[in-house]
Each structure stands twice: as structure tokens, then as C-alpha cells.
Amino acid sequence: MGSNQTWISEVILLGFQIDPELEVFLFGLLLLFYSLTLLGNGVILGLICLDSRLHTPMYFFLSHLAIVDMAYASSTVPKMLANLILQKKTISFAPCILQTFLYLAFAVTECLSLVVMSYDRYVAICHPLYYSVIMSWRVCTVLAATCWIFSFLLALVHISLILRLPFCGAQKINHFFCQIISVFKLACANTRLNQIVLFVGSVFVLVGPLCLVLGSYARILAAILRIQSAEGRRKAFSTCSSHLCVVGLFFGTAIVMYLAPKSSHSQEQRKILSLFYSLFNPMLNPLIYSLRNAEVK
């Protein structure tokens, strides 16, 4: 970190390296998806706030998921859309680091929120008589606050380690946003510690929560099979299948991104995976989780 090193003031986001005509089409398509993400999650959030019948723990956590999804998509998509129609595809270094921080924080918040929601369904189906006692409003508030606080603290750890590095390497990021692995490549020092911390953190917030979610749903499935009423089984299966669909989409793509060997996927494939869980998942969540629900309809 000597004084003779050249520090980066801005970086170039290469994004999707395609023909200009395809960039215009991609801009329109992604703008539509982003608008649907904000509209769908906004409608769900508004309904939950305005209708007292939806003031239950399940919808309390769904409202947090809607907020996370809107913030999650907004941390990367607006800049990506701007870069698709502008010739100058640059971003200053400070906003780049801020984008990395927000993206990590909201991603971890979503992981933990899915775990809390699976626990809520587990208590509701496996221990219905004690549901109101176990999932009191105080417990729900503590669980939601813990998800947010822990996520931002973990993201802050990663950013603190990044800011200790000297950045004097290549000024180009082969991605459509400042993804943390791409930011590592800007450093002109050994990033092994950063990569180890990222891997350990990914195992902790992806594999651990996924095991908890699957464990909860295994218990839920066993409880559903004991339900005598066919209508009760159908309703429970419908709710759980929706939850598991979102869990599979989000955790599956994230695990492939951060835990799979680097050589397993090309950079273009990793961009598509990033786009999938940063935009498509937030867009699909309102449909899968809430709009299929009879109470919301």
C-alpha cells in the first residue's frame, strides 16, 4: 500500500457484452421485469398494511420479504438499466463499494427471512394450539430485527476486509454490478483472506439455513400426512409447495454462485445466475407466496 501505487477512482462495468440492438431489447425486457417486481411486492406490502385480516405473523414476515425484494432488486437493477442505454458504463469507486454492501446485506436478509418463515409455518402446522403463544408479536419483531441486524453486520465485515485492500489493478469489472467476487479482482494484493471469509460466510448463511428450512418442511410434511381432512391436507400442501419453490430457486442459484468451483461455470453463465436471483426471484416471490393465497385474493 505504498504511496507510489495508482488508486482507482472509478471502474467500468462491462455488463452483458452483446450487440447494441440486443441491448435495447434487453433494456425493455429488464425494465418490465423490474417494474413488475416493484408493483407486485408493493401491492402485497400495501394489502398487508391496510387489511387488518392480514395482520398475522405469516403476513408480517411476508411484508418484510416484500421490502427486502424491492430493496434487493433496486440495489443493482437501476444502474444496470442505465448502463444498457448509456455509452459510458462507469461507476465511481465509493458507489461501487456501497452497491456491494447493500447487495450482500439484502441477500443475507432474504436467506434468513426464508428460514424464519419456514419456522413460522412449522409452528402453525405442527403446533397449532401453541401457535399464538410461540409466535407472539414480540417474538416476531425480535426475529425480524435479528435478520436485518445480523445481515448488515455480516455485510459490514466483508466490506471492512475489502477496504483494507489496495485497489490499483484492472479498472474493469466483467459483470453488470459490483459483485463481491468481481471486486476482489480489482485489488493488487492477495485476496485469499477475503475469499476464505466469503466462503465461510456463504456456508453459514446458505447451507446452514437451507438445512434448517428442509428440516422444518420434513417435519411439516410428516404432520400433513397425519391430517385426516382432505381439504386440510390440500391447503397445507399448497402453502408448503409455494414456500419450497421460492427456497429452491433462491438457495439453489446462490449456492451455485458462491460455493461451486470457479471453473464450473463461465463468467457469462454467472451473470445470468446473478440476474436470476437478483431480479427474477424478487419478481416471482409475490406470485408464488401471496397471490396464490386465498386470503390475499
Side-chain angles (χ1 to χ4, degrees):
M1 297 177 68
S3 59
N4 61 340
Q5 291 177 333
T6 303
W7 287 79
I8 295 175
S9 59
E10 64 179 20
V11 296
I12 300 172
L13 295 171
L14 298 179
F16 296 98
Q17 300 172 51
I18 55 178
D19 295 333
E21 293 80 7
L22 286 177
E23 283 189 342
V24 175
F25 171 76
L26 187 61
F27 171 81
L29 187 65
L30 294 180
L31 179 61
L32 174 63
F33 288 158
Y34 180 56
S35 301
L36 291 175
T37 298
L38 296 182
L39 179 63
N41 286 287
V43 167
I44 295 303
L45 184 61
L47 283 176
I48 293 172
C49 292
L50 296 175
D51 196 324
S52 59
R53 291 172 295 180
L54 301 180
H55 292 175
T56 63
M58 174 182 171
Y59 291 103
F60 172 75
F61 294 124
L62 275 176
S63 67
H64 280 270
L65 186 68
I67 293 171
V68 172
D69 283 337
M70 289 190 288
Y72 193 27
S74 298
S75 67
T76 58
V77 176
K79 181 61 180 174
M80 177 178 62
L81 292 174
N83 287 347
L84 283 172
I85 58 173
L86 297 176
Q87 295 299 319
K88 187 180 180 182
K89 301 181 179 182
T90 59
I91 182 172
S92 298
F93 186 68
C96 179
I97 294 298
L98 177 62
Q99 188 181 62
T100 304
F101 171 75
L102 293 176
Y103 185 82
L104 287 172
F106 293 132
V108 176
T109 305
E110 178 138 356
C111 287
L112 299 181
S113 296
L114 292 173
V115 175
V116 171
M117 292 172 71
S118 69
Y119 176 70
D120 172 71
R121 291 299 84 206
Y122 162 74
V123 176
I125 294 175
C126 297
H127 304 284
L129 298 179
Y130 300 99
Y131 180 70
S132 59
V133 176
I134 297 175
M135 299 303 293
S136 65
W137 283 113
R138 180 180 179 181
V139 171
C140 292
T141 303
V142 169
L143 288 173
T146 301
C147 290
W148 286 92
I149 293 171
F150 176 81
S151 302
F152 276 77
L153 288 176
L154 183 60
L156 189 61
V157 169
H158 288 301
I159 296 302
S160 299
L161 290 174
I162 288 175
L163 292 177
R164 294 175 66 249
L165 298 170
F167 289 92
C168 53
Q171 297 184 13
K172 295 181 180 180
I173 290 180
N174 188 15
H175 218 297
F176 59 84
F177 75 104
C178 294
Q179 199 249 6
I180 186 168
I181 297 175
S182 300
V183 173
F184 290 163
K185 296 176 182 178
L186 298 175
C188 52
N190 192 330
T191 60
R192 184 172 180 80
L193 174 62
N194 299 71
Q195 293 176 16
I196 291 174
V197 173
L198 178 63
F199 181 81
V200 173
S202 298
V203 171
F204 184 74
V205 301
L206 290 175
V207 179
L210 180 59
C211 291
L212 291 174
V213 169
L214 295 179
S216 295
Y217 281 111
R219 298 286 298 275
I220 289 171
L221 180 61
I224 290 174
L225 294 176
R226 292 195 298 268
I227 296 176
Q228 299 297 323
S229 167
E231 177 64 21
R233 285 199 301 270
R234 187 200 62 78
K235 184 177 179 181
F237 267 122
S238 176
T239 302
C240 293
S241 63
S242 299
H243 291 197
L244 281 173
C245 183
V246 171
V247 168
L249 287 173
F250 184 85
F251 281 94
T253 51
I255 287 173
V256 169
M257 275 294 301
Y258 292 103
L259 297 181
K262 293 181 180 179
S263 58
S264 299
H265 305 279
S266 69
Q267 184 61 27
E268 295 304 313
Q269 288 176 321
R270 298 177 80 88
K271 290 178 189 177
I272 294 172
L273 284 172
S274 296
L275 186 63
F276 190 87
Y277 70 80
S278 64
L279 180 58
F280 296 155
N281 272 0
M283 181 184 70
L284 294 174
N285 280 354
L287 296 173
I288 297 174
Y289 263 123
S290 301
L291 297 183
R292 289 183 58 192
N293 189 292
E295 291 175 318
V296 174
K297 290 178 180 179

